[in-house]
């Protein structure tokens, strides 16, 4: 009898051979991209003296940004303008929602496969800059490959990493604002806070409004877990947020911030801790856009979509935004800029530089993009957009408030590596131990600072 | 037993009859009604989020979150019209892309996992137990651990921006869960059938093709269904490997409606999400019989 193994073994060999061929064929005709293979070699010649970033503008340029729907169209529209001006260039865009975008960028970054021109924001910058994933752009500005005559110095500085190197050129600057349901505020007889109001005024304003608001509507959304409120709190006191990758504000500052919100919450002037904990993050689902609270802190550009939602749910009610509270230490308003960086593994630096330069200076591109991702940083473009009679009223308000913020010389906050992962989520959690768990603000502040400093130290 | 329990109506006047009979009814219709009613109640709870989404998809976009009710007061199909080709999105293309990837994954998993399972269930080879344990061990590896190395590997193969990273691994029997499922199933098939086939001149290929495969249909159906659902729902894989918008899948398209830093389009999102569920429901209806058999016979929990 024939051994039962002989035939199958031969067939098995055939199968393996077949599978191997299949894989080889796939590899050969896949037509896929492999980027970053020349990471080490190509990174070397850039940034050398006076010619840094200068050269032929041609070839393929991979760019990546966050955004959806309208912003994708606008960003790709600007790319088309760039291509029209530079024949021979192909722009390959990659986009995703903010959270998904950074999830992907993390993986790409750790694999040496970053897009040539990734979009960056100050809060994430350090995580990439300290890993050597991004190129220092100062030499490119010196050589003239990128020109930024119309962007204010303090705005450019928001693109600097912890080592002082310039890692992205901000094209749009978002600011946080206090969004107020003006209709409700009018009904409650409190109107709007006056320009330059302090945190103390803010607390009184909320308490006073609560007295005459309809049943079931809180004057303010509970804000103790919102890092951006706290940043405004420290800036108003003239304190630094971070220094040498550690927390620089004092325990008392944080404890007083949480006490401020706890007092309001206990007085019934805010949404409850439970309501706040289950609030979804999308602009349209926020309580202030739903007409459930009178005010909340939101990004300045959330006004238009927020109003669209409110108009559907509570017709006739109007939202507006005012600057964040300030104090003796200065303006509480900081900028959250978005801009373009060049990755260290980019093998087409001249084109990348030209692309960034185009965003920073081209009038047509700025008019098309119309400050879709924060107010345009180029002051000439900002004036052009404000002068445009077709600018929608809410957008005009957003840009005017932005101009007001800029004129107050906003302080720059430099975020340590791992800020988003270690600080932002922990901040809300720490406040929840106060608002939901009953820990005292002092204890929670001490525990939070120790925890975050340890996490930063481990970066 | 029927004689010992007279029906309550015949013994007591209607007015005195207790609301709940002291003894559970033995009437089959009553029992069955009660069972179906409670199942329906559970079903309503389970289905509510889906129904709400379907309801929200036919409300005007800015009213999407206004109500917990299901029925829209301002009925509109506009979300479906705008969502299908919203901005630069193109759902005709995404559905085709998702379908191609899903079908390839199903073929890959069904073919490769059943072959691997046959080997583990029926063949004797060195280190079989160790390899089986290793295979099961891969189930315990969280995907985060392999995410970056995998990406590096596929990048070096120049497979980024192709569907290869999403499909080729399925042809290499990398889904340990399905191998395990099928090993368990094949083990329940009587070996006598193999012996009979061998006497008739079948080798392993013949046994696999003529005996094991036809009998494993329920397990294959289960594998196909679960592979389909997983692939269709996968977001992270396409997000990492398919950057070119023309190659996006449905899940990426749905993500394209959301933007935490700007405007989100919830009405169209719900409309497209509702549509994206249709293939899953359809596939489930078709494969349902196989699926239930597969679960019942393989001891899958």
């Amino acid at each position: 009898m024939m051994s039962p193994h002989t035939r199958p073994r031969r067939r098995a060999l055939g199968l393996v051979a077949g599978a191997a061929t299949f894989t080889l064929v796939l590899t050969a005709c896949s037509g896929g991209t492999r980027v970053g293979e020349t990471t080490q070699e190509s990174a070397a010649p850039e940034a050398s003296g006076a010619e840094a970033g200068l050269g032929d503008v041609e070839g393929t340029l991979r760019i990546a940004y966050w955004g959806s729907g309208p912003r994708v169209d606008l960003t790709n529209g600007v790319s088309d303008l760039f291509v029209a001006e530079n024949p021979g260039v192909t722009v390959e865009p990659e986009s995703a929602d903010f959270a998904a975008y950074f999830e992907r960028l993390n993986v790409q970054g750790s694999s040496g496969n970053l897009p040539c021109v990734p979009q960056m924001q100050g809060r994430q910058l350090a995580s990439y800059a300290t890993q050597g994933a991004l190129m220092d752009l100062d030499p490119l500005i010196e050589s003239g490959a990128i020109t930024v005559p119309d962007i204010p110095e303090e705005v450019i500085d928001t693109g600097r990493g912890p080592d002082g190197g310039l890692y992205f050129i901000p094209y749009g600057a978002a600011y946080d604002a206090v969004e107020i349901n003006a209709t409700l505020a009018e009904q409650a007889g409190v109107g709007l806070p006056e320009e330059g109001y302090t945190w103390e005024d803010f607390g009184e304003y909320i308490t006073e409004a609560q007295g005459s608001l309809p049943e079931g509507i809180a004057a303010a959304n509970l804000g103790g877990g919102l890092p951006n409120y706290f940043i405004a709190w420290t800036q108003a006191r003239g304190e630094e947020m971070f220094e040498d990758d550690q927390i620089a504000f004092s325990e008392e500052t944080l404890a007083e911030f949480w006490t401020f919100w706890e007092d309001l919450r206990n007085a019934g002037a805010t949404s409850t801790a439970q309501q706040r904990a289950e609030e979804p993050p999308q602009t349209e689902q926020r309580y202030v856009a739903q007409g459930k609270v009178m005010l909340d802190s939101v990004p300045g550009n959330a006004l238009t979509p927020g109003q669209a939602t409110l108009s559907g749910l509570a017709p006739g009610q109007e939202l507006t935004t005012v600057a964040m509270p300030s104090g003796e230490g200065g303006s509480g308003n900081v900028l959250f800029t978005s801009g373009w960086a060049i990755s260290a593994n980019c093998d087409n630096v001249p084109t990348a530089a030209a692309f960034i330069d185009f965003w920073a200076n081209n009038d047509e591109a700025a008019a098309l993009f119309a400050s879709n991702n924060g107010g345009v940083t180029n002051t000439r473009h900002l004036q052009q957009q404000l002068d445009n009679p077709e600018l929608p009223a809410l957008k005009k308000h957003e840009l005017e408030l932005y101009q007001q913020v800029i004129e107050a010389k906003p302080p720059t906050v430099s975020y340590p590596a791992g800020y988003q992962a270690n600080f932002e989520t922990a901040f809300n959690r720490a406040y929840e131990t106060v608002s939901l768990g009953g820990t005292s603000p002092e204890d929670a502040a001490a525990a939070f600072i120790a925890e975050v400093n340890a996490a930063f130290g481990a970066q | 037993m029927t004689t010992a329990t007279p029906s309550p109506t015949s013994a007591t006047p209607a007015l005195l009859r207790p609301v709940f009979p002291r003894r559970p009814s033995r009437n089959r219709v009553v029992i069955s009604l009660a069972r179906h009613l409670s199942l329906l109640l559970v079903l309503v709870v389970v289905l509510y989020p889906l129904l709400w989404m379907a309801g929200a998809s036919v409300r005007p976009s800015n009213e999407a979150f206004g109500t917990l009710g299901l029925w829209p007061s301002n009925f509109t199909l506009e979300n479906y019209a705008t969502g299908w080709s919203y901005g630069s999105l193109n759902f005709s293309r995404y559905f085709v892309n998702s379908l191609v990837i899903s079908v390839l994954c199903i073929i890959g998993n069904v073919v490769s996992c059943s072959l691997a399972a046959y080997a583990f269930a029926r063949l004797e080879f060195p280190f079989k137990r160790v390899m089986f344990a290793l295979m099961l061990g891969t189930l315990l590896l969280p995907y985060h651990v392999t995410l970056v190395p995998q990406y590096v590997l596929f990048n070096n193969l120049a497979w980024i921006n192709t569907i290869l990273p999403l499909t080729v691994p399925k042809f290499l029997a990398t889904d340990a869960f399905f191998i395990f499922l099928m090993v368990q199933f094949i083990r329940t098939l009587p070996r006598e059938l193999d012996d009979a086939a061998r006497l008739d001149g079948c080798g392993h290929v013949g046994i696999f093709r003529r005996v094991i495969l036809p009998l494993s249909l329920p397990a294959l159906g289960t594998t196909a269904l679960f592979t389909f659902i997983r692939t269709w729902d996968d977001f992270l894989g396409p997000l990492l490997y398919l950057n070119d918008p023309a190659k996006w899948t449905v899940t990426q398209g749905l993500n394209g409606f959301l933007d935490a830093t700007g405007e989100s389009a919830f009405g169209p999102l719900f409309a497209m999400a509702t549509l994206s569920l249709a293939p899953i429901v359809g596939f489930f209806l078709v494969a349902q019989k196989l699926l239930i058999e597969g679960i019942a016979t393989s001891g899958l929990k």
Side-chain angles (χ1 to χ4, degrees), chain B residues 206-220:
Chain B
I207 295 175
F208 176 71
R209 199 163 56 88
R210 290 167 197 270
V211 179
I212 303 292
L213 270 194
L215 289 173
S216 308
L217 220 51
L220 294 177

Side-chain angles (χ1 to χ4, degrees), chain B residues 75-107:
Chain B
F75 183 87
T76 168
L77 286 177
E78 201 192 315
N79 289 330
Y80 286 84
T82 49
W84 192 261
S85 52
Y86 179 77
S88 57
L89 302 179
N90 177 355
F91 271 85
S92 329
R93 180 170 275 165
Y94 304 154
F95 272 95
V96 172
N97 291 346
S98 275
L99 206 66
V100 168
I101 295 175
S102 300
V103 167
L104 283 175
C105 286
I106 291 175
I107 297 174

Side-chain angles (χ1 to χ4, degrees), chain A residues 265-418:
Chain A
R265 185 175 73 84
N266 291 327
T270 67
S271 50
T272 66
Q274 286 80 0
Q275 286 167 336
R276 179 65 189 90
E278 63 191 25
E279 184 183 16
Q282 311 287 356
T283 306
E284 291 84 348
Q285 287 167 279
R286 301 280 294 265
Y287 294 146
V288 66
Q290 307 244 322
K292 291 175 182 167
V293 298
M294 190 187 81
L295 69 84
D296 194 4
S297 170
V298 299
N301 67 351
L303 181 59
T304 306
Q307 180 65 59
T309 306
L310 190 66
S311 300
L313 298 175
Q317 294 200 0
E318 276 182 22
L319 290 175
T320 187
T321 47
V322 299
M324 295 285 259
S326 295
E328 288 166 6
S331 161
N333 297 280
V334 297
L335 294 178
F336 301 92
T337 54
S338 304
W340 300 106
I342 301 183
S343 62
N345 60 273
C346 180
D347 51 9
N348 194 356
V349 177
T351 310
F355 181 77
I356 296 177
D357 187 66
F358 188 78
W359 271 83
N361 296 299
N362 188 282
D363 289 0
E364 210 183 334
L368 173 69
F369 196 70
S371 298
N372 188 275
N373 193 12
V376 62
T377 54
N378 182 317
T379 44
R380 174 168 46 96
H381 293 160
L382 180 64
Q383 202 51 55
Q384 285 168 359
Q385 289 176 22
L386 282 170
D387 293 343
N388 180 358
E390 284 164 28
L391 190 72
L394 288 177
K395 194 75 191 173
K396 190 176 170 78
H397 177 83
E398 177 195 329
L399 292 183
E400 279 169 350
L401 188 52
Y402 165 67
Q403 207 171 28
Q404 180 191 325
V405 168
I406 287 286
E407 278 160 8
K409 299 270 173 218
T412 306
V413 178
S414 179
Y415 303 90

Side-chain angles (χ1 to χ4, degrees), chain A residues 8 11 30 32-35 66-69 71-73 94-95 97 103-104 108 111 113 284-285 290 301 308 313, chain B residues 62 65-66 87-88 148 151 155-156 158 160 162 164 168 204-205 236 239 243 248 255-256 258-261 264 266:
Chain A
R11 290 202 183 182
S30 60
T33 46
R34 176 185 170 200
V35 202
W66 63 83
S68 70
R71 191 178 300 159
V72 173
D73 293 342
E94 299 174 8
S95 66
D97 178 42
E103 215 169 306
R104 174 166 68 198
Q108 291 174 331
S111 315
N113 183 22
E284 291 84 348
Q285 287 167 279
Q290 307 244 322
N301 67 351
L313 298 175
Chain B
N62 59 1
F65 291 105
S88 57
V148 172
Y151 189 90
N155 187 30
N156 286 335
I160 306 295
T162 71
L164 298 178
V168 170
H204 280 300
V205 175
L236 189 64
L239 173 74
N243 302 328
W248 277 11
N255 183 255
L258 288 178
D259 187 0
T261 61
S264 302
F266 282 102

Side-chain angles (χ1 to χ4, degrees), chain B residues 14-73:
Chain B
L15 275 176
L16 293 178
R17 197 174 43 184
V19 179
F20 296 106
R22 230 172 283 158
R23 210 182 288 180
S25 167
R26 302 233 164 134
N27 188 327
R28 282 215 182 143
V29 178
V30 173
I31 294 178
S32 155
L33 261 180
R35 192 178 290 160
H36 279 89
L37 260 181
S38 50
L39 279 178
L40 276 177
L41 275 178
V42 174
L43 190 68
V44 166
V45 173
V46 173
L47 275 185
Y48 174 75
L50 280 184
L51 295 177
W52 185 88
M53 182 176 80
S57 74
V58 289
R59 276 197 287 270
S61 198
N62 59 1
E63 290 175 27
F65 291 105
T67 167
L68 290 175
L70 298 177
W71 201 246
S73 47

Side-chain angles (χ1 to χ4, degrees), chain B residues 228-236 251 276-277 280:
Chain B
F228 180 71
I229 295 178
R230 272 193 204 177
T231 320
W232 189 265
D233 287 350
D234 187 21
F235 174 64
L236 189 64
T251 45
S276 76
L277 285 178
I280 292 187

Side-chain angles (χ1 to χ4, degrees), chain A residues 26-200:
Chain A
L26 280 182
T27 321
C29 10
S30 60
T33 46
R34 176 185 170 200
V35 202
E37 53 199 317
T38 51
T39 311
Q40 301 313 318
E41 306 91 89
S42 67
E46 48 89 8
S48 52
E51 274 105 58
L54 293 175
D56 295 333
V57 177
E58 60 187 12
T60 306
L61 186 69
R62 248 177 98 208
I63 68 162
Y65 57 92
W66 63 83
S68 70
R71 191 178 300 159
V72 173
D73 293 342
L74 295 176
T75 312
N76 292 348
V78 173
S79 295
D80 291 344
L81 290 176
F82 176 69
V83 170
E85 201 161 280
N86 299 280
V89 175
T90 319
V91 176
E92 286 181 0
E94 299 174 8
S95 66
D97 178 42
F98 189 77
Y101 170 81
F102 277 103
E103 215 169 306
R104 174 166 68 198
L105 208 65
N106 275 336
V107 176
Q108 291 174 331
S110 46
S111 315
N113 183 22
L114 280 178
C116 224
V117 180
Q119 202 174 85
M120 267 293 145
Q121 210 180 42
R123 286 175 288 185
Q124 282 82 8
L125 175 67
S127 308
Y128 293 86
T130 54
Q131 302 286 330
L134 301 178
M135 194 184 277
D136 186 355
L137 302 180
D138 273 329
L140 277 67
I141 289 187
E142 276 163 35
S143 75
I146 300 175
T147 51
V148 286
D150 297 317
I151 305 180
E153 193 69 34
E154 59 269 18
V155 177
I156 288 283
D157 284 345
T158 59
R160 294 192 182 277
D163 61 353
L166 183 62
Y167 291 103
F168 73 88
I169 306 291
Y171 71 79
Y175 56 90
D176 272 353
V178 175
E179 187 171 63
I180 300 179
N181 188 322
T183 315
L184 287 176
E186 202 60 50
Q187 283 167 10
V190 288
L192 297 177
E194 281 168 28
E195 200 177 321
Y197 68 111
T198 64
W199 277 92
E200 205 177 321

